[in-house]
Structures are given as structure tokens and as C-alpha cells.
Amino acid sequence: VTTENESKPDTGPPGVPVPADDTPEVLNKALSGLSSRWKNWWVRGILTLAMISFFFFIIYLGPMVLMLIVLCVQIKCFQEIIHIGYSVYHSYHLPWFRTLSWYFLLCVNYFFYGETVTDYFSNLVQREEPLRILSKYHRLISFAMYLTGFCMFVLSLVKKHYRLQFYMFGWTHVTLLIVVTQSHLIIHNLFEGMIWFIVPISCVICNDIMAYMFGFFFGRTPLIKLSPKKTWEGFIGGFFSTVVFGILLSYVMAGYSFFVCPVEFNSDRNSFEVDCEPSDLFQLQDYALPAALESLTGWPTLRLYPFQIHSISLSAFASLMGPFGGFFASGFKRAFKIKDFANTIPGHGGIMDRFDCQYLMATFVNVYIASFIRGPNPAKVVQQLLALRLDQQLHIFNSLKTHLTERGLSAL
């Protein structure tokens, strides 16, 4: 016997209106003779090549442009998710919902980017009095801004709609957690060197393309119910293709200082610089092959960049765990009965549809760098020392001199 609750399926909130087909007219005419399956294949392929070309172009423009693009993508992803919430619940005429959502986005960005400025541009901050004051009271100002938004939300509560308004309050904060926090981690990864941005994002793109290709031509076995078009053949083919791609791309990029050097701010020139002596991570080294591989290839050693070994971990995560970001997004879209987050890119949906896997990848890369790569940064230590009072600097100098003398470096 089924209960009343079991007999009624969870229909969820009303669906978001489905946008009309926005495929460019020139493509519609050129592909009019094809079936919908092949038409979609060609539209996705052409737009994918266009997006990859744009990606190469912004890489050429340098790290500052990349950071601005990340900020723009973050804002667009936030707008797409918030728009879904507004489209579903707009009939309730909730006051201030969109205004407060954008205000909280401003608050969170002010907090995160303020922390970044203080961390990476300490010389500039200490040199300018207004920036020094803002840096000193940054967290207090951030909290005051958030508290203002919190009070505005409480004042906007309307009788009979309390529960719904708290739903939307949670909606906004989860969106901030997913979108803004992850994009902030992408910026931090960029400061470690553009290779830590380009290789992970390229691995996700490669996996997405190759999984689609393998699934399109060979797919027979469904992978997960949330995404009926995903297949095991595509998943496995995408994995091996991405690992090989990651190793090859890492080999090409590791030889260029422009990609491997940390992005640093030169206070004398007031500009960003990507110039350094590459670390051991980006120096070719010989690795002894196991006996089985040596007998098979005839090579006693293999010459690789250490970063190529790390790239295997990045590629594996992009292939095995990255798609779960897409599955999560698929479940979210099914819950609200929509196909895509938006119709910004024909054949691909919205910006969030293209970055649902990237945000999960960004978090992994940041954790990976902190756990296995990053060590003490002498430049940052010097910047912090120069920000101290003269008596504090003298005390540290004497302590360091005593420590070095005890270790037998008195001659220095």
C-alpha cells in the first residue's frame, strides 16, 4: 500500500521558460540538410573551435587579461544561476531579491580580491596611504558591508513568504560559495604560474571534447542516469586521451618562462612581470625506467620535466572527478526542468554549462599546489619584513645573524 506522500511524485518548482533556438542563421542554412544529431555535432564543433581560438588569444594577452576574463566569467555564471531562481519564483514578487544577490556578490568579491591585493601587492599597499588604511581595516570593512546586506534582508522579510525568502537567501549564498570562491582559487593558481591555469583548464576541455567524440561514435553503454547521453565508452576514451594530452602539453609549456614563472608585481615599474629562473619542477631530468619497460623500449632512462609527472594527477582528476561537476549541474538543471543554464553559446548553453567542471578542477589544483608544490616564498617574506618598524627589522636581523652564526656561517 502506498502512502499519500509516495503516490505523489516530487514535481519540484515550476520550470524555467525554455529559450528559443539561437543558432546563427548562417549555420542553420548551411546545415539544414542534416539530421538533428549531425547538425548539433557540427554546431558544437564549430563553436568549440571558436572558443579554443579565443582562449589562445587571451593567453597571448597575458596574465592580467586572464584575470579579468576569470572575473567576467564569474559574474556571468552568477547571473545565470540567480536568473534561474528569479525566473522560478518571480511570481511571488519577492522584494530586493536580485538587488541583495548582486550586493552580496560585491561584498564577497571585495573581501577576496582585497585579500589578494594585500597578499601580492604589499609594496604598493604600503606605499599608498589610502591603500594602507583599506588594507589594515579590510576585514572590518568587509564584515560591515556583509552585515549591512544581512540587515537589509531581514528588513525585506514579508509575511506569508518567510520560508521562500530564506530559500532564496540560501540560494544566493550557495551560489557565492560555488562560483566566487572557486574563481578566487583560479586567480591564486594563476599567480603560481600560468601553466597551473592553462594545463588544468585545457585538460578539462580536452576531456569534454574527447568524451563527446568517443561517446558520439562508439557510445553504447549509459554511464549515469543524470546525464543519459554520457556513456562508459566516452568516459574511458576521454580519460586516456586526456592523460596523454596533459603529458604532451606540459612538455611543450614547461620549456617557456612565460608559462612557468610566478606572476609577480614589480613595484619599481608598477607592472606585472613573468620572468624568473625556472625551478627544478621545470628542468629536464633523467628518470630510470623499470626493467620491463627498458626491455620493451630499449631506453634505460626517460628524460622528462618533473611537472609532466604532476600533470598525470591533474589529467586524471580532470577525467575521473571533473565530470562529477557536470553531473551535479545536470541534476540541478533537471530539478528546475531546464536544458541549459542560458543560451549564450549556440549548441553549448550558457557560460555555466561550460564551466561546471572547471570550478571543481580549480579547487583541486589549489589544494594540490598547497600540499605538494608550494614552499616558503622568500620574496613575500622580504615584503613582510620591509613593512615592519625599524626596531622590529633590527631585532629580526640580529636573531637571523645569531642563527646563521650557530650554524657555522659566521664568515658571511
Side-chain angles (χ1 to χ4, degrees), residues 76-84 341-342 344 350-352:
K76 186 64 175 74
C77 290
F78 182 83
Q79 180 269 330
E80 290 178 358
I81 298 177
I82 291 299
H83 178 72
I84 291 174
F341 283 96
T344 309
I351 299 296
M352 190 66 198

Side-chain angles (χ1 to χ4, degrees), residues 214-226:
F214 275 93
F216 186 88
F217 290 106
F218 309 110
R220 298 291 183 273
T221 313
L223 176 63
I224 187 170
K225 290 182 178 179
L226 281 174

Side-chain angles (χ1 to χ4, degrees), residues 168-180:
M168 302 315 298
F169 185 75
W171 180 294
T172 299
H173 281 67
V174 171
T175 304
L176 292 171
L177 176 66
I178 293 174
V179 175
V180 183

Side-chain angles (χ1 to χ4, degrees), residues 9-273:
D10 179 17
T11 57
V16 179
V18 179
D21 180 21
D22 63 338
T23 304
E25 188 63 28
V26 63
L27 286 181
N28 275 327
K29 289 182 179 179
L31 305 175
S32 58
L34 300 177
S35 65
S36 60
R37 183 169 182 260
W38 279 100
K39 178 183 176 181
N40 183 62
W41 191 88
W42 277 105
V43 170
R44 288 176 65 95
I46 293 171
L47 270 297
T48 296
L49 290 176
M51 287 188 289
I52 291 174
S53 300
F54 177 70
F55 182 56
F56 285 143
F57 176 67
I58 61 174
I59 289 173
Y60 169 77
L61 293 178
M64 274 304 296
V65 176
L66 275 174
M67 292 177 194
L68 291 175
I69 292 295
V70 169
L71 179 60
C72 293
V73 167
Q74 174 219 109
I75 294 173
K76 186 64 175 74
C77 290
F78 182 83
Q79 180 269 330
E80 290 178 358
I81 298 177
I82 291 299
H83 178 72
I84 291 174
Y86 181 76
S87 299
V88 170
Y89 297 113
H90 73 282
S91 58
Y92 290 91
H93 302 292
L94 298 180
W96 299 2
F97 167 57
R98 285 195 294 185
T99 302
L100 282 174
S101 297
W102 287 102
Y103 177 79
F104 281 124
L105 176 66
L106 174 66
C107 294
V108 175
N109 271 314
Y110 176 82
F111 171 74
F112 279 127
Y113 283 93
E115 293 281 309
T116 301
V117 168
T118 302
D119 192 23
Y120 288 97
F121 312 117
S122 58
N123 284 343
L124 176 64
V125 169
Q126 295 301 321
R127 197 170 59 198
E128 302 291 337
E129 182 65 23
L131 291 179
R132 185 160 62 245
I133 295 173
L134 288 174
S135 174
K136 182 177 181 180
Y137 300 106
H138 172 68
R139 296 197 175 187
L140 178 62
I141 296 171
S142 301
F143 177 70
M145 290 175 63
Y146 179 84
L147 193 61
T148 301
F150 179 81
C151 293
M152 289 171 63
F153 167 75
V154 173
L155 293 174
S156 72
L157 291 173
V158 178
K159 190 176 181 180
K160 295 183 180 179
H161 298 315
Y162 293 150
R163 180 179 297 181
L164 180 58
Q165 287 183 281
F166 277 102
Y167 282 160
M168 302 315 298
F169 185 75
W171 180 294
T172 299
H173 281 67
V174 171
T175 304
L176 292 171
L177 176 66
I178 293 174
V179 175
V180 183
T181 305
Q182 314 305 318
S183 64
H184 176 68
L185 296 181
I186 293 177
I187 299 295
H188 271 254
N189 297 343
L190 258 172
F191 275 108
E192 296 295 328
M194 287 207 293
I195 196 169
W196 291 104
F197 170 83
I198 297 171
V199 169
I201 200 172
S202 298
C203 285
V204 172
I205 293 171
C206 175
N207 182 69
D208 191 40
I209 293 172
M210 297 310 297
Y212 178 77
M213 296 287 286
F214 275 93
F216 186 88
F217 290 106
F218 309 110
R220 298 291 183 273
T221 313
L223 176 63
I224 187 170
K225 290 182 178 179
L226 281 174
S227 296
K229 294 183 180 180
K230 298 289 193 300
T231 63
W232 275 104
E233 290 82 2
F235 186 76
I236 295 171
F239 168 76
F240 286 106
S241 301
T242 304
V243 171
V244 173
F245 171 81
I247 293 173
L248 295 178
L249 179 64
S250 299
Y251 180 82
V252 172
M253 296 186 65
Y256 295 91
S257 298
F258 178 74
F259 295 120
V260 305
C261 290
V263 179
E264 296 181 346
F265 183 77
N266 188 317
S267 57
D268 296 328
R269 299 180 182 177
N270 285 331
S271 63
F272 285 96
E273 289 189 352

